[in-house]
């Protein structure tokens, strides 16, 4: 490092210490602040001109093709797979009934059984529903199919 860079760093550190002392910093703190500023300035001035730091390495792509959010969602659903949740059946049945009402069908209408499918209608009408995730997917797919232009039975 050149003598000129050292002098600049020391002068800048002294100026920083003096400014902090003028603004009321007491005790040895202005000296400490000046020393830190001088050391930082000396470190920056010691970098040779034209030197550029290396770019950080690219992050590795996620293994398995999915993100952490997908993994957490799947893990949470897997945890609830074997739970006996009567509220889940009630929510699915209420959703199916609302979609059927849009089509002008009541829950007990034979056309509602045909629109949802006999298995889905029976599962939602049962006293207790303990489905696997694939069963829940089939129920939700049948409910979504009611709103499709070609799905469901129109009255």
């Amino acid at each position: 490092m050149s003598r000129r860079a050292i002098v600049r760093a020391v002068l800048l550190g002294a100026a920083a210490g003096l400014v902090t002392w003028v603004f009321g910093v007491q005790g040895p703190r202005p000296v400490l602040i000046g020393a830190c500023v001088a050391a930082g300035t000396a470190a920056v001035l010691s970098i040779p001109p034209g030197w550029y730091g290396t770019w950080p390495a690219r992050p590795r792509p996620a293994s398995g093709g999915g993100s952490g959010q997908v993994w957490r969602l799947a893990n949470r659903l897997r945890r609830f797979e074997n739970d006996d949740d009567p509220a889940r059946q009630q929510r699915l049945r209420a959703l199916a009934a609302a979609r059927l009402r849009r089509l002008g069908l009541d829950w007990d209408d034979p056309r509602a059984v045909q629109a949802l499918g006999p298995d889905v209608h029976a599962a939602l009408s049962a006293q207790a529903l303990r489905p696997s995730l694939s069963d829940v997917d089939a129920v939700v797919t049948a409910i979504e199919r009611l709103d499709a232009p070609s799905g469901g039975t129109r009255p």
Side-chain angles (χ1 to χ4, degrees), residues 11-109:
L11 287 176
L12 191 58
L18 183 63
V19 167
T20 57
W21 180 76
V22 167
F23 279 103
V25 178
Q26 298 176 352
R29 290 186 188 120
V31 175
L32 181 63
I33 292 170
C36 289
V37 168
T41 304
V44 169
L45 292 176
S46 69
I47 298 172
W51 180 84
Y52 295 100
T54 59
W55 286 95
R58 288 182 180 230
R60 294 182 324 139
S63 60
S67 70
Q69 294 175 4
V70 172
W71 177 83
R72 282 193 301 273
L73 177 62
N75 196 22
R76 182 166 290 172
L77 286 174
R78 211 174 291 119
R79 186 176 64 192
F80 293 120
E81 181 175 3
N82 294 323
D83 283 353
D84 189 13
D85 185 9
R88 182 185 330 152
Q89 179 184 10
Q90 180 61 30
R91 286 189 300 262
L92 288 172
R93 182 176 171 155
L95 179 63
R99 299 274 172 108
L100 287 170
R101 276 193 300 275
R102 284 189 210 160
L103 296 173
L105 301 173
D106 290 328
W107 183 256
D108 297 325
D109 192 340

